[in-house]
Amino acid sequence: VWHSDGCPAVKMTYRAAITVPYWSTAVMSAIGKGSIDNGDGTTMYSFDQPVAMPSYLLALAVGDIASCEISPRCKVWSEPSLLDACKFEFSQTESFLQIAEEITDMPYQWVRYDLLCLPPSFPYGGAENPCLTFVTPTLLAGDRSLASVVAHEIAHSWTGNLVTNRTWSHFWLNEGWTMWLQRKIVTKIHNDERFFDFDAIGGWKHLKDDVSLHSPAASRLVLTLGDDDPDDSYSSVPYEKGFHLLYALERMVGSANFLTFARAYLKKFAFLTVRSEEFRDFFNSHFEGSGAVSDVTLKSFDWDSWLYGEGMPPCGEPNFDRTLSSDAEALAKDWIAHDEKDGSNAHPPSADISKWTSPQKVCFLDAMLSGLENRSPLKLSTIKSMKELYKFHETKNCEILFRFCMIGVSSSDEDLYPVVVRFITTQGRMKYVRPLYRALFATEPGKQIAVQTFLDNKDFYHPIAAKMLAGDLGATVSEESNETESESKACTIFGIPFRTFIIGTTAIISIGALLLMKKRR
């Protein structure tokens, strides 16, 4: 799998010819134009991307993969053994696309929208390459409950791929807008306007966690680019703080007026790049004298605090509609109250959550984590009761399992450690593995387990994930890792059999590509 680096200010079209071993298939962020058997044990695949796209989205994957159509313009690719699961999990893709087209009042520009399910070491939830979105297999929950990541990557087809931040200082314009559009899409899929706030409640917690974890400077929407490693400051800030800037503007002018503005913004900057100041000026000019909002209110909006200020959004926590989250939040309070009771005769909360949706269970666990922030961890007896009642430690849903593991690790539940270790060594998504390694490392019984588990599995992780985990676990791990750097380098790459997936450009027999570079502002 290869994903290019690049400057977001450069947009380009390209053609490519990729020669690979006969048993493998090549796919790219472009339209496939067919293949030719070279007669020497290799096959050449041809691709064309006639629509100008950001250069950082040039992507290529080669491997023993199979595909299945899920709509006339959508296909899923994966290792053959996962194809049926992918077909089921991502079956809503066409619906997501149609809803996005309806919301934006603009057709999807890149003709095809295919998905490739990557090896489990892939460190992110997804990558929004035109024509070929990359997704993590951690989305395969078996109930389509994590498909909102696909809605996010689809939203990028308008906010990020079509309208692109000029430089990485303005990354929030890609991700904040995409969170807004993602939540609009998922709200329509659920046919319930309350879902917009319900989803944003979880995002607010994620933002709080990241703001407290990173440096104050990393919590600004407009970042000062320097020589620091960008991975060190990567967080939910451009996603969730960016979203809340847009949500604040939407509440100020009204939803219908803001939708009209969003469509005008996409049309104005389509195939171009944009800076935060241009976005601000376009918003003000769009609403000035419109009657949608008074000029006094418009001029009083504190753009400087939003764009350049540090910390949480200056608006404070919005008055979210909590009707969909209230039961989950109430149950979390009941469990924490139960944990605070003395004696072994206290009965745990009896609420039946068997018919709750996965997002409701995630909301419950988020509320538990929030409630535990300023008090001691749960007693082991409470953790045991939760296991017996809910079986969260046995779930296939990674969002639920991750949160329950975080609660159990903070309580030093050693019975849960095998589940945690299995979870962090069978997938490499940084959203899950980094917090869990840090949580293990922060406890006395878990510290050595974290270190040894990382050293035993560091070659499984993507290089970015391995680097970040080594930093999370401190200098001791880095030193031990360097001493064993030359060991265990054969047979597998990221834990995937060599014939199954060729990782990196060195595995490609030959690449012939013509890049037609077009710089556009």
Side-chain angles (χ1 to χ4, degrees), residues 8-26:
V10 174
K11 293 200 173 186
M12 68 182 194
T13 60
Y14 73 91
R15 296 189 187 97
I18 311 296
T19 300
V20 299
Y22 73 92
W23 53 264
S24 61
T25 301

Side-chain angles (χ1 to χ4, degrees), residues 60-82:
L60 164 69
V62 178
D64 180 11
I65 52 177
S67 67
C68 177
E69 297 278 353
I70 53 176
S71 82
R73 58 176 169 175
C74 300
K75 179 186 291 185
V76 290
W77 290 90
S78 73
E79 294 177 78
S81 62
L82 292 178

